[in-house]
Amino acid sequence: SSNVWTADMLTKVMAYFHAQEVMFTLSSLQMSIKSYLKNLLYQPRQLLSEFQQLDQQQFQTAMKYLFNSRKDHLEVGNISLDWDKTRERIFQSPGVNRTLFLVTLDKCFLALSVLDCVDILSQVLRVSAVNYLQPDVIGSLPNVLQEDAFRNLSTVFKDLYDKTSAKTQRALYGWMKQILQKSCNMSEFNESTSWVSAENLWILGRYMVHLPLEEIMKISLNEIRLFISYDNATKQLDTVYGITPELAQAFLERINSSGFDMRNTSTIYRQDSFSFSFMAVLGLLVCFYDDMEQMDAAVARALLHQMIKCNQLRGFQAEVQKLKSQLLNIAMQNQTLNDILGSLSDAVVGLTSSQLESLSPDAVHNAIATLNQVSGWAKSQVMILSSKYLSYEKVLSFYAVSQMGALVTGISTQSFYSMNPKDLSQIIQGTTPQYLSDLSPAQQQGILRKIAASGDFSSSVKDIQGAFFKEISLSDLWKQTGYNSSMMKEKELRRSQALCLYELLSKKYYPVDLLSTGQLVKGVTCQLIESMGTDFFLNTFKFFEKNLHLLSPYQVNCLAWKFWKVSNASIPPFLLSVLPTEYLEYVSGPLCVPFIESLGKTEMDLLNPSLHKKNAVLQKVQECLNGSIADEYDVDLLGNLICHLPPAFLRSRMSLKAMATALYQFKLCQQLSHEQKTEIKYKLLELYGSPNNWTAETTLDVGPFIALMSKGELNVLAEKFPDIILQIAKTIGPISSAEELLSTVFESVSNASANIESSLSRPDCLGTRAPSSDEIIKLAEANAFWSVQELKCMDAGTFDKNVELLGTVSGFNGSQLIALKEKAKQVWGSLPDWKSYHIVSLGRIALALTEHEIQELDLHSIDTISVLSQQTEWTLTQARSILQGFLEDSGQTISTLKSFDLVGLGAILCALNSTEIMSIRTAEFSAAVARIGLLFCSTPVLRQFKKMTESVFSTATSWNGSILQDIGTIAGGLNEDELKAFDKNLMTYFQPIAIRCIPPEIFQTLSPEQIANLGPENAAMVTRLQREHLNASQLQSLQLALDGARTSTPETQTGASTTQAVQTPAPSAPCLSGLGIWLCAVFTLHLPF
């Protein structure tokens, strides 16, 4: 309406209602319309229909207030509307955003200025472009746009490129091409000339990768020259991550033909007062530059310098490595590696360990400014370069470390421990925090032990940031003083630390100061939540909600009970899912949508660790959806809940319309079962037809789900799109999850390598193909399909260059690992001659070492042991050999081991006998206890660790919650009497991994009360064997814990039956059909939803 609101306007509106004999007070009308609006937010399809009925003027008003209003309050007569809060609620709803997107496409270009509509579209799309921008929607985009609007909208689409599907990218390219062709004078273009001008190429941006090869070859050379001269051409070419070698080479050919000398590394041309090196202009095209003939060393080095960005390409890394290797050889002509190390850019990553070993310390020192910026180093390379650099520096100082960048991780733990504590304190505060988090737990422990021993720990604690802080032991935390709440904001805490610190800080600070730090919410106990006053709890709940991912399922359960007790009418719907299953009965009708929406935004496993409970919640979700996923609105609503829906529901209750939108969501799911994946496969076949007819875009969009296709279908795809299949296979996990796909990839790569390399140095290798570097890089996990004979015939140089990659292949069997171990002996010489970096680079190949072979190795360094201990498949005798080798070679006994030695030994500690464990020094054990509590050792070993823990924290029966939480699996070593003696309220502080470690015959001694208080997460960890030892009463208690039943107060018995009903919205206002949504809004929007 064009009328201005006046103070008496509301009176007139009320008079109108009364004249219609609709008896309403102002407040009841406000409540009624508020309810109607709230329902509309939960019924986006209805909202779409309301929008479509608005006339142009109403639509303009609606859009103005939604997108262009700068006001946070609107004055309507004598009422002030909280407009900011309302808009925030609107934009948080995925379904409402889709409605706004669709209605903007449908009505906006007719009702508002084109530029305004483009602005609105860009705001809505940034919320969730992937789901809204489906190929069929692209057809609704206007195909005639004024130039400014088209440029603005195409800029939005360029920004969203990575967030859209391959099919959508192709459709958007088609839309842009159609408009650009219309804007050209097509009479000037014919069969031999292209519509792609320099300006059009710039407008296409990243969509230029969709140009057909023949179109690129037709682009006028003048236009190419003009495009390359644009200031922002380089920026654009730096972002064409999806370009293929064929397209890149076509562009390079046109650029070369247009008159630029690609070999000239000096100034190619001048523009204003700036000089440009041609290499720098090429962006990612340099990654496929292949004109090597008569190239000189300077050009090769210039190219290598530009190729540092090539790791951003989608695929083709093997080709890039090959090119870098060729350029490296040219760059080193008539030069020593020592002389040119600093000018090789990140191609240095391609140097073998023997080449790096040949470098002088001087050369490494002089090249450190380049080396410290390179990413992609193998662990062995970092070890070699670090030791070279440090042998030049002589004394390891803060300055020396600050120059090392990524090479910091190659400094030995012992070197860190030998440093001046003041220098170490500076490192902790220092200039390379991103590299500190890459240090191994042993290295971090070495730094902390030295600072703690120096007496300067208190002042350093406040400066320790991020995940590094988690390595501080409880004992060291207790000794320090001077903590404040603000210093906790930049730290990551273990739950045991948070419990300890929250208790400590709560004596000085208000709870709101502690909760606002984020990480400290981990330390909030149930008793604390229960003791909060109603108003305080409701006002601080936002801190818990914001940090839900930091809370344990037990804490979430306590929050739910508290909310139910103080305000069950306004309980956030997702909290109903953590209460016992009977509370799900309250979820019906109007509560359904908020229930599903809030669950879809949280992690299901956090809320419901137990399978039985999860199934009950999913059953309620299916009921709320009326038994089907009808369309994209349902997919929006489900969010990540879609990952948990049962296979049968996906098969029979999901429409194809929904499937097209759901595919993106399914690809984000972390743990789909084989059965779920199978149903998704059938839906995809229904949606896209036989893989024999798929396009490249369909294959890319299906992504990891191609692993479910039959061998025949995979062969067809591999033949049509070998590069795409290779790209997808790289993202697939271990071989067990995708054997058919990986074997297809292996065959595809093998067939593509026409020349059979055979090693003539070995007669038994005649006629056997030997794996090449190129193939090994391409295959990744699919390397598991080489035969033992083929691995034996691998060239020594190829092995040396790729050993680290081969060591990561999880699918190699014992015989293959033995073949690779023998190859290592052949290449590196006898075992006593192997350096630490050789051993570290083996990865899984080390598992093939026999007990006797391990004894021959030089195992003096805890950093070598630290890497070996990460392998989880050692036998007890192998682990024992590693332990003995370390003690002998480092000249230590168990009683001289430092805490960082214990941390570095990791799972190897499980091979200790009881006498050895008892000889560990208490102070060192104390510093490492949280790390030792992550190990899954045998029960006798855990019992000895428990005895050691008592020497740190006093007798087991005196342990509190933070100690129980800290010691992890060590709690599996408690005996019957100790376990029975724990107060029931301490049961939730056991770590879930500890529950599994308690032997069944000891677990059965827990009382029903103790079991009922385990909490949902711990109860879900009870094993089948433990269950079998429980009696009926104990099993009943276990079920209570799994259900999230309330155990701490007598109110449990009255349960759900006596509580008041959850509030449901009031009925719709009868007047609304004649009023229009926006007139209603002005009464009510100041009332928060």
Side-chain angles (χ1 to χ4, degrees):
S1 163
S2 57
N3 294 332
V4 177
W5 276 95
T6 57
D8 64 342
M9 187 66 81
L10 290 177
T11 316
K12 290 178 182 176
V13 172
M14 291 307 298
Y16 165 79
F17 285 138
H18 290 160
Q20 303 296 315
E21 297 187 351
V22 178
M23 288 300 131
F24 263 110
T25 63
L26 183 57
S27 62
S28 66
L29 179 63
Q30 286 175 332
M31 283 308 294
S32 184
I33 301 175
K34 172 196 168 185
S35 164
Y36 173 80
L37 280 173
K38 187 172 180 178
N39 274 350
L40 271 187
L41 284 182
Y42 291 137
Q43 293 173 10
R45 297 178 191 84
Q46 173 71 21
L47 183 60
L48 179 61
S49 155
E50 295 274 0
F51 259 119
Q52 285 166 335
Q53 289 166 40
L54 299 181
D55 63 29
Q56 281 205 8
Q57 185 160 9
Q58 288 171 322
F59 182 79
Q60 282 176 2
T61 309
M63 291 291 139
K64 176 185 151 192
Y65 280 118
L66 267 173
F67 293 102
N68 295 327
S69 172
R70 297 283 171 265
K71 297 181 177 181
D72 52 4
H73 282 78
L74 295 179
E75 303 300 325
V76 181
N78 56 358
I79 295 176
S80 174
L81 311 178
D82 185 347
W83 186 230
D84 247 10
K85 201 166 214 170
T86 304
R87 269 195 308 204
E88 187 186 337
R89 180 67 192 86
I90 287 168
F91 290 127
Q92 277 176 351
S93 164
V96 173
N97 270 300
R98 182 180 290 280
T99 286
L100 290 174
F101 172 66
L102 293 174
V103 86
T104 304
L105 276 186
D106 186 33
K107 294 178 79 85
C108 190
F109 289 97
L110 301 171
L112 298 181
S113 84
V114 177
L115 285 171
D116 281 346
C117 291
V118 168
D119 183 46
I120 289 167
L121 268 181
S122 71
Q123 288 187 59
V124 178
L125 281 172
R126 284 191 164 89
V127 179
S128 179
V130 183
N131 282 345
Y132 306 158
L133 274 182
Q134 292 294 334
D136 56 332
V137 174
I138 310 298
S140 312
L141 291 171
N143 53 14
V144 178
L145 275 177
Q146 51 185 271
E147 193 177 340
D148 281 359
F150 172 66
R151 282 172 181 255
N152 289 358
L153 193 50
S154 58
T155 301
V156 172
F157 292 143
K158 283 190 277 190
D159 291 346
L160 294 172
Y161 190 92
D162 286 323
K163 293 185 178 177
T164 50
S165 68
K167 279 192 162 182
T168 298
Q169 288 164 4
R170 169 67 71 182
L172 283 168
Y173 161 75
W175 173 78
M176 291 165 84
K177 172 186 166 186
Q178 182 188 9
I179 292 182
L180 290 170
Q181 282 181 326
K182 277 184 188 168
S183 67
C184 296
N185 183 351
M186 287 312 284
S187 61
E188 293 175 18
F189 298 100
N190 54 40
E191 295 274 322
S192 59
T193 57
S194 172
W195 58 271
V196 184
S197 62
E199 193 174 8
N200 288 353
L201 206 48
W202 178 75
I203 289 170
L204 281 172
R206 291 179 63 181
Y207 291 89
M208 67 188 274
V209 302
H210 296 280
L211 284 164
L213 206 54
E214 54 276 15
E215 194 69 63
I216 296 168
M217 298 314 290
K218 287 188 336 192
I219 300 173
S220 142
L221 297 180
N222 285 338
E223 296 296 335
I224 282 284
R225 196 180 298 112
L226 182 59
F227 174 69
I228 286 295
S229 71
Y230 285 169
D231 286 352
N232 45 19
T234 310
K235 189 176 172 189
Q236 178 167 322
L237 291 172
D238 275 346
T239 61
V240 288
Y241 312 119
I243 200 157
T244 63
E246 296 75 27
L247 290 183
Q249 275 151 11
F251 275 116
L252 287 170
E253 191 179 318
R254 292 312 275 164
I255 291 166
N256 207 18
S257 304
S258 72
F260 288 110
D261 175 8
M262 296 214 187
R263 297 298 179 83
N264 189 344
T265 58
S266 61
T267 303
I268 305 300
Y269 58 90
R270 291 181 182 277
Q271 182 177 323
D272 303 325
S273 58
F274 293 101
S275 303
F276 292 86
S277 163
F278 182 68
M279 296 295 179
V281 179
L282 292 177
L284 291 175
L285 300 183
V286 296
C287 308
F288 303 102
Y289 184 91
D290 63 348
D291 184 8
M292 302 286 170
E293 250 178 84
Q294 298 174 325
M295 181 183 285
D296 69 28
V299 174
R301 288 201 291 275
L303 263 173
L304 284 173
H305 183 65
Q306 290 304 320
M307 288 183 74
I308 199 160
K309 50 198 162 199
C310 295
N311 58 0
Q312 296 173 55
L313 285 169
R314 308 260 191 277
F316 308 109
Q317 287 307 315
E319 288 81 351
V320 170
Q321 300 286 2
K322 196 172 183 179
L323 176 57
K324 281 184 180 177
S325 183
Q326 291 168 331
L327 290 169
L328 201 55
N329 291 336
I330 297 170
M332 287 164 59
Q333 280 169 2
N334 306 321
Q335 302 261 16
T336 68
L337 194 51
N338 280 328
D339 294 335
I340 62 161
L341 183 64
S343 60
L344 298 178
S345 193
D346 73 339
V348 287
V349 170
L351 297 170
T352 62
S353 51
S354 44
Q355 285 175 305
L356 292 176
E357 191 62 274
S358 72
L359 291 166
S360 71
D362 268 18
V364 175
H365 179 265
N366 295 335
I368 197 70
T370 302
L371 300 176
N372 66 13
Q373 291 179 47
V374 172
S375 59
W377 291 114
K379 177 74 177 162
S380 56
Q381 293 175 311
V382 172
M383 288 169 74
I384 297 169
L385 289 169
S386 290
S387 78
K388 296 269 178 200
Y389 177 73
L390 296 176
S391 67
Y392 176 92
E393 286 293 331
K394 304 291 190 290
V395 177
L396 186 53
S397 64
F398 165 67
Y399 174 77
V401 172
S402 69
Q403 298 303 298
M404 292 177 72
L407 299 181
V408 160
T409 56
I411 300 174
S412 74
T413 299
Q414 192 58 53
S415 299
F416 276 126
Y417 189 70
S418 307
M419 276 181 78
N420 180 312
K422 284 198 165 51
D423 280 342
L424 285 173
S425 294
Q426 277 186 286
I427 289 171
I428 283 174
Q429 300 161 33
T431 49
T432 52
Q434 73 271 33
Y435 301 120
L436 283 184
S437 58
D438 295 335
L439 295 178
S440 72
Q443 288 169 312
Q444 293 184 355
Q445 184 64 222
I447 292 172
L448 289 173
R449 277 320 270 154
K450 186 58 177 270
I451 298 174
S454 72
D456 189 31
F457 202 39
S458 284
S459 57
S460 300
V461 162
K462 64 176 183 294
D463 297 316
I464 300 175
Q465 306 298 350
F468 204 140
F469 193 86
K470 291 170 89 168
E471 297 301 321
I472 299 174
S473 71
L474 269 193
S475 310
D476 282 333
L477 270 191
W478 286 338
K479 289 175 198 162
Q480 311 314 320
T481 54
Y483 296 116
N484 63 54
S485 61
S486 59
M487 71 167 64
M488 295 299 148
K489 286 187 175 161
E490 305 301 323
K491 305 184 192 314
E492 257 185 72
L493 307 178
R494 298 197 307 276
R495 198 169 297 284
S496 57
Q497 291 172 320
L499 284 161
C500 165
L501 287 167
Y502 194 100
E503 188 181 351
L504 202 67
L505 289 166
S506 62
K507 292 166 185 164
K508 293 198 295 185
Y509 294 94
Y510 292 112
V512 74
D513 295 327
L514 304 183
L515 295 176
S516 62
T517 63
Q519 287 279 326
L520 278 176
V521 298
K522 293 178 181 175
V524 177
T525 63
C526 257
Q527 288 85 336
L528 200 73
I529 291 169
E530 283 173 10
S531 67
M532 288 177 179
T534 299
D535 290 344
F536 178 77
F537 173 76
L538 294 173
N539 289 331
T540 53
F541 181 74
K542 61 186 177 205
F543 294 118
F544 293 113
E545 199 166 23
K546 185 180 168 189
N547 295 297
L548 213 53
H549 60 290
L550 299 177
L551 300 176
S552 70
Y554 182 62
Q555 285 175 303
V556 178
N557 181 253
C558 296
L559 287 171
W561 277 118
K562 178 67 176 180
F563 222 124
W564 184 261
K565 181 181 171 187
V566 302
S567 181
N568 62 13
S570 63
I571 187 170
F574 75 90
L575 287 182
L576 290 170
S577 73
V578 304
L579 297 176
T581 45
E582 60 264 31
Y583 285 78
L584 290 170
E585 291 165 21
Y586 290 98
V587 179
S588 62
L591 263 184
C592 263
V593 173
F595 174 72
I596 297 178
E597 189 185 314
S598 57
L599 273 181
K601 289 176 181 173
T602 33
E603 187 41 62
M604 183 72 159
D605 292 330
L606 164 69
L607 300 177
N608 296 294
S610 100
L611 190 61
H612 163 74
K613 186 77 174 294
K614 197 182 291 181
N615 289 339
V617 171
L618 290 172
Q619 188 56 47
K620 175 55 70 175
V621 168
Q622 291 167 58
E623 279 173 35
C624 277
L625 288 169
N626 294 325
S628 72
I629 304 174
D631 57 18
E632 57 271 44
Y633 277 110
D634 286 342
V635 176
D636 291 342
L637 179 63
L638 280 163
N640 60 32
L641 258 184
I642 206 164
C643 304
H644 301 279
L645 292 172
F649 188 75
L650 295 177
R651 179 192 320 135
S652 55
R653 301 293 182 168
M654 185 172 199
S655 75
L656 288 185
K657 191 178 180 191
M659 184 62 200
T661 305
L663 176 57
Y664 171 76
Q665 199 68 46
F666 281 131
K667 281 158 79 174
L668 297 178
C669 298
Q670 299 292 311
Q671 292 176 311
L672 290 170
S673 69
H674 178 69
E675 292 73 22
Q676 283 174 308
K677 288 178 182 173
T678 304
E679 296 308 335
I680 292 168
K681 169 187 130 174
Y682 289 129
K683 279 289 174 204
L684 289 170
L685 291 173
E686 216 181 317
L687 184 66
Y688 295 133
S690 161
N692 299 347
N693 306 322
W694 285 2
T695 61
E697 286 76 27
T698 304
T699 310
L700 270 170
D701 285 343
V702 171
F705 294 113
I706 64 165
L708 304 163
M709 303 301 160
S710 70
K711 191 77 168 83
E713 290 164 336
L714 285 169
N715 286 338
V716 171
L717 290 173
E719 201 172 317
K720 280 165 71 177
F721 313 116
D723 295 327
I724 291 173
I725 298 302
L726 213 54
Q727 191 181 323
I728 293 169
K730 292 261 187 188
T731 64
I732 297 270
I735 194 164
S736 55
S737 63
E739 190 162 351
E740 297 272 88
L741 171 63
L742 292 174
S743 78
T744 305
V745 164
F746 182 79
E747 288 156 19
S748 169
V749 170
S750 304
N751 296 340
S753 313
N755 60 325
I756 294 181
E757 295 183 33
S758 60
S759 172
L760 300 177
S761 58
R762 291 181 53 168
D764 58 337
C765 285
L766 282 171
T768 302
R769 64 173 292 148
S772 68
S773 274
D774 200 34
E775 289 169 316
I776 290 169
I777 293 166
K778 281 182 178 173
L779 289 170
E781 191 61 31
N783 278 298
F785 290 93
W786 293 111
S787 70
V788 169
Q789 185 61 23
E790 286 166 334
L791 292 173
K792 282 180 179 172
C793 294
M794 192 190 306
D795 174 71
T798 304
F799 176 82
D800 202 21
K801 201 170 183 180
N802 298 289
V803 58
E804 208 115 3
L805 198 160
L806 293 167
T808 64
V809 177
S810 65
F812 280 139
N813 61 32
S815 311
Q816 290 168 309
L817 292 175
I818 289 169
L820 289 167
K821 174 193 72 176
E822 294 304 323
K823 178 61 66 179
K825 289 183 186 174
Q826 186 190 324
V827 177
W828 297 334
S830 65
L831 293 166
D833 296 335
W834 286 11
K835 302 276 197 300
S836 286
Y837 62 79
H838 287 133
I839 301 167
V840 159
S841 66
L842 286 171
R844 281 191 76 241
I845 301 168
L847 294 167
L849 291 163
T850 64
E851 196 179 341
H852 176 66
E853 287 170 330
I854 291 168
Q855 285 164 5
E856 288 188 64
L857 295 171
D858 175 5
L859 296 178
H860 76 279
S861 163
I862 191 57
D863 301 289
T864 308
I865 304 298
S866 178
V867 173
L868 290 176
S869 72
Q870 287 165 22
Q871 297 301 329
T872 55
E873 302 160 77
W874 295 114
T875 64
L876 195 58
T877 52
Q878 282 176 311
R880 190 76 205 164
S881 276
I882 292 170
L883 176 68
Q884 291 303 133
F886 170 62
L887 293 173
E888 285 166 22
D889 295 343
S890 64
Q892 297 203 74
T893 61
I894 300 290
S895 63
T896 63
L897 294 178
K898 298 270 195 302
S899 62
F900 52 80
D901 294 320
L902 298 174
V903 169
L905 280 161
I908 306 297
L909 289 174
C910 295
L912 290 168
N913 63 39
S914 54
T915 313
E916 289 168 333
I917 292 172
M918 296 319 286
S919 63
I920 298 172
R921 278 183 294 177
T922 304
E924 305 305 326
F925 185 86
S926 166
V929 70
R931 279 276 163 193
I932 295 170
L934 297 174
L935 306 176
F936 290 99
C937 299
S938 66
T939 304
V941 171
L942 291 179
R943 283 186 180 143
Q944 293 307 121
F945 282 150
K946 189 266 305 180
K947 286 182 186 170
M948 279 301 301
T949 307
E950 287 186 304
S951 65
V952 177
F953 296 126
S954 184
T955 55
T957 47
S958 68
W959 292 348
N960 62 19
S962 55
I963 294 171
L964 267 179
Q965 177 65 218
D966 203 52
I967 64 172
T969 56
I970 297 173
L974 291 161
N975 65 34
E976 297 176 23
D977 294 335
E978 290 162 340
L979 202 56
K980 279 194 299 194
F982 279 117
D983 184 276
K984 64 179 184 182
N985 291 321
L986 284 175
M987 299 310 294
T988 59
Y989 296 105
F990 281 85
Q991 279 193 36
I993 51 171
I995 299 297
R996 282 169 52 190
C997 294
I998 301 171
E1001 63 280 7
I1002 290 182
F1003 188 79
Q1004 71 181 357
T1005 63
L1006 287 171
S1007 70
E1009 289 74 28
Q1010 285 176 307
I1011 292 173
N1013 278 274
L1014 278 171
E1017 192 176 18
N1018 284 347
M1021 295 301 278
V1022 174
T1023 66
R1024 184 180 55 78
L1025 264 177
Q1026 286 170 328
R1027 267 175 186 271
E1028 286 171 5
H1029 281 68
L1030 300 181
N1031 62 34
S1033 171
Q1034 289 171 313
L1035 285 170
Q1036 192 179 359
S1037 291
L1038 183 62
Q1039 194 55 53
L1040 285 174
L1042 285 167
D1043 277 350
R1046 190 173 204 160
T1047 51
S1048 54
T1049 60
E1051 293 166 51
T1052 324
Q1053 280 66 39
T1054 53
S1057 56
T1058 58
T1059 48
Q1060 70 184 81
V1062 176
Q1063 184 180 7
T1064 55
S1068 300
C1071 64
L1072 280 168
S1073 53
L1075 258 180
I1077 183 174
W1078 298 102
L1079 183 54
C1080 290
V1082 294
F1083 286 107
T1084 54
L1085 288 176
H1086 66 293
L1087 298 166
F1089 289 152

